[in-house]
Amino acid sequence: MKEYQTQYKQYLLENVVPFWEKHCPDREYGGYFTCLDRDGSVYDTEKYMWMQWRIVWMFAELYNKVERRQEWLDEALQGFRFLTRHGKDPQGRYYFSLNREGVPAMAPYNAFSDCFAVMGAAALFRATGSEEARREALSAYECYSGRESRPKGEWTKELEGKKEYMSFGFYMMQLNLLSVLQENLGSDNSRELARLRRFVLDTFYSPSHGVVFENMPREGGPDLSSMAGRHTNPGHALEAMWFIMSSARRAGEEETVRQAADIVLAELDYGMDREDGGIYYFLDYLRKPHVELQWDMKLWWVHCEALIAAFLAYEYTGDSRFRDRFAELHEWTWKRFPDPEYGEWFGYLDRRGEVNNTLKGGKWKTFFHLPRMLQTIGCFGEDR
Amino acid sequence: MKEYQTQYKQYLLENVVPFWEKHCPDREYGGYFTCLDRDGSVYDTEKYMWMQWRIVWMFAELYNKVERRQEWLDEALQGFRFLTRHGKDPQGRYYFSLNREGVPAMAPYNAFSDCFAVMGAAALFRATGSEEARREALSAYECYSGRESRPKGEWTKELEGKKEYMSFGFYMMQLNLLSVLQENLGSDNSRELARLRRFVLDTFYSPSHGVVFENMPREGGPDLSSMAGRHTNPGHALEAMWFIMSSARRAGEEETVRQAADIVLAELDYGMDREDGGIYYFLDYLRKPHVELQWDMKLWWVHCEALIAAFLAYEYTGDSRFRDRFAELHEWTWKRFPDPEYGEWFGYLDRRGEVNNTLKGGKWKTFFHLPRMLQTIGCFGEDR
């Protein structure tokens, strides 16, 4: 594993970080450009909140965990100032997007805008000790967790005829946020984290089906009678499992580490495309038609999260099956995603593994999954 | 062309209509199932308003234009009763969906739910002379056109930082609805139709760029600085051009017929995938990354609308280039979309033309584009 780690850290520092340092800062208005084409050129200037706060987080994280480079801290700080100045509606919820100048462009209909603000502000507090950053992290967390019962607020379209489900994404991110607050602010979240680890595993993973479901009826499930009930997202499940493994490891809950690692194995088998390789984006559990046309595509973030999950499962359990899975994934992924010409990774491959879209950043891809993966694996063991 | 016409009409009556007659009716609650897998089996029971009203329209249309089969009329009528009983919110807007039993499932955030109600009710008035159907068509039209300035109503997410565009889709469908009302209710819409033909052509088609843009700034455009401004949808443009050609032909505006036919040729060239054949779903005008991952897929409806546009352009102008385009499209399309085993067409092919999803019907595919194409071409000249 040591060789992989060296390669990953080097690629992070020599390839991925320089790409974003060069192309993402908006030196005129503040914040970042994330709609970057293959060569880093800007093809749209809208500032999507998920994407913006993730960049704040990543630069602060690099500063906290890799090297105390002032330019990384400055980059995170300028984004923090832009976003806290322009980003919130009168109720304190983060808008979904701003225009280049900072004028609200899309309503705060999405709770994950608040979620990523927690992460960015918390990492920045650790880097600077700034009271403002600490308050921002805590208030954004209050906002996020206050949206549990109705995450889309007044933009909710579901009515009484729609079956109600609990959403896996909401709780896995809540678990991640509590870890982030514990790590960066020193918050005492141990009990709540232990509760959430059990809740997520017991609620969304179905032992008899062997997979994690994205939408679970409150009365138990899964509900195999609807598209929403059968919807699965292996990359999401894998990401959650490494959140759970590392949080359980810190808490000394080895049984939970082992359980989550078993689910990693199950999800890797379940999500794998046995014909063309790689991991599907979405699957209908019963292999009925999936409503999303991109269901069979191979996405960079899914493969990043799968690499982390396999890597950590190996490090935590020593089980050689995880090492083999990691090596297979490494092989498939590194052959297809990296752009040899302009650096960074393509985000979107078709089912066969060919590039479908040349963007390096956009509405949903930013300086986040790839560098987080490279840093998590490349620097594993350095700062624990 | 006569041979194609015979083939199309036969496929409509012997293949497509029987598939939907057999699988779509919900004999227990009323309305229709549209989430049908390859073999017609139901994989979800939600009743999406666009899909429901389009079935009412299609069965009524077959009754009006192809053959006075009582079972077609009955099928349209049972859907009409279900939808008018359960489908509207207190302001008279159609919900986006109902559950199987008819309880509202998704809010009325989409003006096209009203749009397709106009079509279904109008065709049913022509079939039955029912005053209720006439009133329904007119009130749904009032509702649709009243949503011009804010089609999503209170579910609008765009704020002041978002550039405002006029939407091609809204006006092309308004033009289509006025034609439908004229044809079925005898409404005197000639002046308004003439105005809309000019408005759509002059506003959304840019002669210097040679294509139709989906989003145009009010002050003129196109706006090539944003993803939304550069967004084009060749299938949509082709559909609109045949609406315009047939409406202009009825009005004796031969100059407009010719102009729309020229745009058909331009859009067929523009949208064509020169490597793998077929017509792309979405294109960024400057070939920058498109935000929608399915941009390069080949969709059944795009090819249906392209076939109608090429066919009518040939019939109206006699220009042999349209006959050649039609023959090429026919060749590519009929080799890939039809399901030889269970009948009907697959809806979604990947860029290379291979089936991506086995559904015959879903949230966006129903008894509409394919049978409308087969009927428009197959029965052309019969009932004029």
Side-chain angles (χ1 to χ4, degrees):
Chain A
M1 287 294 186
K2 206 59 214 158
E3 265 173 57
Y4 291 122
Q5 288 192 268
T6 310
Q7 176 196 334
Y8 281 37
K9 186 169 176 182
Q10 189 180 349
Y11 194 84
L12 172 71
L13 295 178
E14 295 176 10
N15 184 313
V16 176
V17 172
F19 184 92
W20 290 89
E21 284 182 310
K22 180 165 176 200
H23 299 296
C24 85
D26 181 353
R27 298 269 170 251
E28 197 169 338
Y29 291 96
Y32 316 101
F33 299 117
T34 69
C35 293
L36 303 179
D37 204 348
R38 184 175 177 184
D39 60 359
S41 60
V42 176
Y43 62 87
D44 196 288
T45 58
E46 190 158 340
K47 289 172 176 165
Y48 299 100
M49 206 54 71
W50 290 32
M51 305 296 109
Q52 300 286 313
W53 272 116
R54 285 167 157 193
I55 299 180
V56 174
W57 179 80
M58 196 68 233
F59 276 118
E61 194 76 354
L62 289 171
Y63 180 84
N64 290 333
K65 296 189 176 166
V66 180
E67 216 181 294
R68 301 242 146 203
R69 288 199 203 165
Q70 188 61 37
E71 64 265 31
W72 289 344
L73 184 56
D74 291 343
E75 204 46 80
L77 277 167
Q78 72 87 357
F80 177 85
R81 282 191 298 266
F82 179 82
L83 297 170
T84 49
R85 184 177 310 136
H86 301 292
K88 279 181 283 190
D89 85 341
Q91 291 177 242
R93 302 175 297 188
Y94 274 99
Y95 293 108
F96 186 74
S97 67
L98 309 173
N99 72 4
R100 184 178 174 190
E101 293 78 4
V103 182
M106 295 285 282
Y109 69 90
N110 189 299
F112 294 105
S113 304
D114 306 309
C115 162
F116 296 111
V118 179
M119 293 177 65
L124 208 50
F125 170 75
R126 177 164 165 190
T128 61
S130 142
E131 182 55 25
E132 191 193 349
R134 201 185 68 88
R135 276 200 316 267
E136 188 58 43
L138 292 173
S139 73
Y141 180 76
E142 282 314 301
C143 192
Y144 178 79
S145 51
R147 300 179 74 165
E148 176 177 349
S149 66
R150 200 172 158 82
K152 292 185 211 151
E154 55 266 47
W155 296 274
T156 304
K157 295 169 187 162
E158 286 76 9
L159 301 173
E160 63 275 25
K162 194 90 174 177
K163 185 151 190 164
E164 255 194 81
Y165 299 104
M166 290 181 293
S167 158
F168 178 60
F170 187 87
Y171 297 101
M172 72 172 258
M173 286 313 298
Q174 190 168 38
L175 189 154
N176 182 236
L177 292 184
L178 289 171
S179 295
V180 164
L181 291 174
Q182 188 173 56
E183 181 187 353
N184 291 287
L185 271 61
S187 312
D188 177 19
N189 296 328
S190 307
R191 272 217 329 221
E192 184 60 5
L193 272 167
R195 188 193 67 76
L196 262 173
R197 284 193 297 272
R198 287 287 14 121
F199 176 77
V200 169
L201 288 171
D202 296 345
T203 306
F204 295 99
Y205 174 71
S206 165
S208 54
H209 300 84
V211 297
V212 169
F213 289 87
E214 289 287 313
N215 300 302
M216 272 291 187
R218 237 166 256 287
E219 65 276 16
D223 166 24
L224 298 183
S225 75
S226 79
M227 292 195 275
R230 293 189 303 268
H231 173 48
T232 63
N233 178 334
H236 222 201
L238 290 162
E239 181 179 6
M241 289 310 120
W242 76 254
F243 290 168
I244 289 178
M245 284 190 292
S246 34
S247 148
R249 163 57 62 108
R250 274 196 298 274
E253 268 185 26
E254 289 307 315
E255 197 43 54
T256 308
V257 173
R258 188 69 240 178
Q259 192 195 349
D262 287 344
I263 300 176
V264 168
L265 217 50
E267 290 285 342
L268 286 173
D269 281 344
Y270 170 74
M272 183 69 63
D273 176 349
R274 288 174 204 287
E275 204 172 315
D276 293 306
I279 298 170
Y280 287 117
Y281 186 18
F282 297 142
L283 286 170
D284 181 286
Y285 180 74
L286 295 179
R287 298 300 191 281
K288 292 182 187 290
H290 198 286
V291 67
E292 298 294 341
L293 300 182
Q294 64 270 38
W295 72 273
D296 65 349
M297 287 179 65
K298 311 293 164 66
L299 271 64
W300 93 103
W301 75 260
V302 170
H303 294 79
C304 288
E305 301 309 319
L307 282 165
I308 302 180
F311 177 88
L312 291 181
Y314 177 65
E315 293 291 337
Y316 292 155
T317 68
D319 184 332
S320 65
R321 289 176 301 173
F322 292 111
R323 193 191 51 211
D324 299 344
R325 295 309 173 90
F326 179 85
E328 280 165 35
L329 274 166
H330 173 93
E331 178 73 12
W332 195 89
T333 298
W334 284 85
K335 222 180 240 163
R336 287 164 180 83
F337 284 101
D339 178 359
E341 192 162 351
Y342 294 98
E344 243 272 349
W345 280 18
F346 295 113
Y348 304 99
L349 311 181
D350 66 15
R351 183 179 193 148
R352 289 185 180 73
E354 287 175 29
V355 177
N356 152 276
N357 194 315
T358 58
L359 70 79
K360 293 291 167 55
K363 189 174 175 183
W364 305 110
K365 183 174 188 288
T366 187
F367 184 48
F368 184 69
H369 286 285
L370 173 60
R372 180 171 77 172
M373 181 276 282
L374 296 169
Q375 188 257 318
T376 304
I377 294 174
C379 303
F380 183 80
E382 281 183 13
D383 67 346
R384 314 263 148 172
Chain B
M1 285 295 185
K2 205 62 214 155
E3 266 173 56
Y4 290 121
Q5 288 192 268
T6 309
Q7 176 195 335
Y8 282 37
K9 187 169 175 182
Q10 188 179 350
Y11 194 83
L12 172 71
L13 295 178
E14 295 176 11
N15 185 313
V16 176
V17 172
F19 184 93
W20 290 89
E21 283 182 310
K22 178 163 178 201
H23 300 295
C24 85
D26 181 353
R27 298 269 171 251
E28 195 168 339
Y29 291 94
Y32 316 101
F33 299 116
T34 70
C35 292
L36 302 179
D37 204 347
R38 185 175 177 184
D39 60 0
S41 60
V42 176
Y43 62 87
D44 196 287
T45 57
E46 191 158 338
K47 290 174 175 165
Y48 300 101
M49 207 53 71
W50 291 32
M51 304 298 107
Q52 299 287 314
W53 272 115
R54 284 167 157 190
I55 299 179
V56 174
W57 179 80
M58 196 68 234
F59 276 117
E61 194 76 353
L62 290 171
Y63 180 84
N64 290 332
K65 296 189 175 167
V66 179
E67 216 181 294
R68 301 243 144 203
R69 290 200 203 164
Q70 187 61 36
E71 65 264 32
W72 290 344
L73 184 57
D74 291 343
E75 204 46 80
L77 277 168
Q78 73 86 357
F80 178 85
R81 281 191 298 266
F82 180 82
L83 297 170
T84 50
R85 183 177 313 136
H86 301 292
K88 277 181 283 189
D89 85 342
Q91 291 176 244
R93 302 174 297 188
Y94 274 99
Y95 293 109
F96 185 73
S97 66
L98 308 174
N99 72 4
R100 184 178 174 191
E101 292 79 4
V103 182
M106 295 286 282
Y109 69 88
N110 190 300
F112 294 105
S113 303
D114 305 309
C115 162
F116 296 111
V118 179
M119 292 176 65
L124 208 50
F125 169 76
R126 179 165 164 189
T128 61
S130 141
E131 180 57 23
E132 190 194 350
R134 202 185 69 88
R135 274 200 318 266
E136 189 56 44
L138 292 173
S139 73
Y141 181 76
E142 283 313 301
C143 193
Y144 178 79
S145 51
R147 300 178 75 166
E148 176 177 350
S149 67
R150 200 173 158 83
K152 292 184 212 152
E154 55 267 46
W155 295 274
T156 304
K157 295 170 186 161
E158 287 76 10
L159 301 173
E160 63 275 24
K162 195 89 173 178
K163 186 151 189 162
E164 256 194 80
Y165 298 104
M166 291 181 292
S167 158
F168 178 61
F170 187 87
Y171 297 101
M172 71 173 259
M173 286 313 298
Q174 191 168 36
L175 189 155
N176 182 237
L177 292 184
L178 289 171
S179 295
V180 165
L181 291 174
Q182 188 174 57
E183 182 186 351
N184 291 287
L185 271 63
S187 311
D188 176 20
N189 295 328
S190 308
R191 270 217 332 218
E192 184 59 5
L193 272 167
R195 189 194 67 78
L196 262 174
R197 284 193 297 271
R198 287 288 9 123
F199 177 77
V200 169
L201 288 171
D202 295 345
T203 306
F204 295 99
Y205 174 70
S206 165
S208 53
H209 300 84
V211 296
V212 169
F213 289 87
E214 288 287 313
N215 300 301
M216 272 291 188
R218 239 165 254 286
E219 65 276 16
D223 166 24
L224 298 182
S225 75
S226 79
M227 292 194 277
R230 292 190 302 269
H231 174 48
T232 62
N233 179 333
H236 221 200
L238 290 162
E239 181 178 6
M241 289 311 119
W242 77 254
F243 290 169
I244 289 178
M245 285 190 294
S246 33
S247 147
R249 162 59 61 110
R250 275 196 297 275
E253 269 185 26
E254 288 308 315
E255 195 45 52
T256 307
V257 173
R258 188 69 241 178
Q259 192 195 350
D262 286 344
I263 300 176
V264 168
L265 216 50
E267 290 285 341
L268 287 172
D269 281 344
Y270 171 75
M272 182 70 63
D273 176 350
R274 286 173 206 288
E275 205 172 314
D276 293 306
I279 298 171
Y280 286 118
Y281 185 18
F282 297 142
L283 286 170
D284 180 286
Y285 179 75
L286 296 179
R287 298 300 191 283
K288 292 182 187 290
H290 199 286
V291 68
E292 298 294 341
L293 300 182
Q294 62 271 36
W295 72 273
D296 64 350
M297 288 180 64
K298 311 293 164 65
L299 271 65
W300 93 103
W301 74 260
V302 170
H303 293 79
C304 288
E305 300 310 318
L307 282 165
I308 301 180
F311 177 87
L312 291 181
Y314 177 65
E315 293 291 337
Y316 292 156
T317 69
D319 184 332
S320 65
R321 289 175 302 173
F322 293 111
R323 191 191 52 210
D324 299 343
R325 295 310 173 92
F326 179 84
E328 281 165 35
L329 274 166
H330 172 93
E331 177 74 11
W332 196 89
T333 298
W334 283 85
K335 220 179 241 166
R336 288 163 181 84
F337 284 101
D339 178 359
E341 192 161 350
Y342 295 98
E344 242 275 346
W345 279 19
F346 295 113
Y348 304 99
L349 311 181
D350 67 14
R351 184 179 192 148
R352 287 185 181 73
E354 288 175 28
V355 177
N356 152 278
N357 194 315
T358 56
L359 71 80
K360 294 290 167 56
K363 189 174 175 182
W364 305 111
K365 184 174 188 288
T366 187
F367 185 48
F368 184 68
H369 285 285
L370 174 60
R372 180 172 75 173
M373 181 276 283
L374 296 168
Q375 187 257 319
T376 303
I377 294 174
C379 304
F380 183 80
E382 282 183 13
D383 67 346
R384 314 263 150 173

